[in-house]
């Protein structure tokens, strides 16, 4: 019973499940795009005055945090669904580490949040958001967002 290998197996299971559930793909890929375009263009000119470029700087940061937080809540609902369907009971009968289900689930949600973060960043760059403190600063900020997402995933678990 090894937490790492068992957790990676559960991670793989959850990622395979992700690509087979259209709702999760929609939530991961299209919801961030819709929020950024909606709030960037519909409200951007009204709030930011003129072209809304200054508003977009604050908008993207808020949508990053909101989407990462929403994405982390998938952990709790997915675990509840697995418990309801009896999947967790089946895992308990297997010779695997007891923490592997939680570790794999939370890690798969970090992968899911990473995909959302990349989609949001690319969409933000397309609508005019710019990284001002360089690539290293942006990578550190993205890492903090993913660490926050991982922590929230554990709270939801």
């Amino acid at each position: 019973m090894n937490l790492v290998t068992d957790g990676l197996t559960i991670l793989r299971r959850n990622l395979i499940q992700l690509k087979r559930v259209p709702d999760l793909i929609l939530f991961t890929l299209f919801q961030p795009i819709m929020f950024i375009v909606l709030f960037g263009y519909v409200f951007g000119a009204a709030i930011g005055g003129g072209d809304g470029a200054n508003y977009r700087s604050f908008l993207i940061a808020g949508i990053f945090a909101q989407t990462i937080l929403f994405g982390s809540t998938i952990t709790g609902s997915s675990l509840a669904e697995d418990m309801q369907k009896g999947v967790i009971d089946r895992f308990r009968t297997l010779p695997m580490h007891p923490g592997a289900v939680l570790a794999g689930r939370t890690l798969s949600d970090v992968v899911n949040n990473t995909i959302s973060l990349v989609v949001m960043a690319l969409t933000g760059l397309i609508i005019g958001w710019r990284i001002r403190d360089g690539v290293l600063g942006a990578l550190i900020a993205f890492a903090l967002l993913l660490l926050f997402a991982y922590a929230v995933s554990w709270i939801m678990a």
Side-chain angles (χ1 to χ4, degrees), residues 1-2 6-7 10 90-101:
M1 294 193 312
N2 185 354
D6 293 343
I10 299 297
R90 290 184 201 121
F91 285 149
R92 287 183 185 146
T93 64
L94 297 173
M96 61 188 294
H97 194 279
V101 173

Side-chain angles (χ1 to χ4, degrees), residues 15 31 59 67 75 79 108:
L15 291 178
Q31 183 189 17
L59 164 80
T67 304
T75 304
L79 283 172
S108 70

Side-chain angles (χ1 to χ4, degrees), residues 128-148:
W129 170 69
R130 296 294 175 250
I131 298 171
R132 296 182 184 192
D133 292 332
V135 176
L136 181 62
L139 291 176
I140 291 170
F142 291 152
L144 283 172
L145 273 171
L146 291 174
L147 185 64
F148 173 68

Side-chain angles (χ1 to χ4, degrees), residues 117-138:
L117 197 58
V118 169
V119 169
M120 285 187 295
L122 292 175
T123 306
L125 289 171
I126 290 170
I127 70 160
W129 170 69
R130 296 294 175 250
I131 298 171
R132 296 182 184 192
D133 292 332
V135 176
L136 181 62

Side-chain angles (χ1 to χ4, degrees), residues 43-61:
F43 298 124
I47 294 175
D51 65 352
N54 191 25
Y55 167 73
R56 288 188 189 115
S57 297
F58 295 102
L59 164 80
I60 298 298

Side-chain angles (χ1 to χ4, degrees), residues 8 11 17 25 36 50 53 61 63 68 92 105-106 119 125 133 139 149-150:
L8 290 175
L11 166 73
Q17 183 183 20
I25 294 171
I36 289 174
I63 290 180
I68 291 296
R92 287 183 185 146
R105 178 77 251 173
T106 55
V119 169
L125 289 171
D133 292 332
L139 291 176
Y150 188 65

Side-chain angles (χ1 to χ4, degrees), residues 30-99:
F30 296 119
Q31 183 189 17
I33 294 171
M34 289 185 318
F35 276 134
I36 289 174
V37 171
L38 173 72
F39 289 107
Y41 285 113
V42 174
F43 298 124
I47 294 175
D51 65 352
N54 191 25
Y55 167 73
R56 288 188 189 115
S57 297
F58 295 102
L59 164 80
I60 298 298
I63 290 180
F64 278 166
Q66 168 192 320
T67 304
I68 291 296
L69 186 64
F70 288 165
S72 297
T73 61
I74 293 173
T75 304
S77 62
S78 297
L79 283 172
E81 182 181 341
D82 284 348
M83 289 182 74
Q84 185 180 34
K85 290 181 178 179
V87 176
I88 301 295
D89 292 332
R90 290 184 201 121
F91 285 149
R92 287 183 185 146
T93 64
L94 297 173
M96 61 188 294
H97 194 279

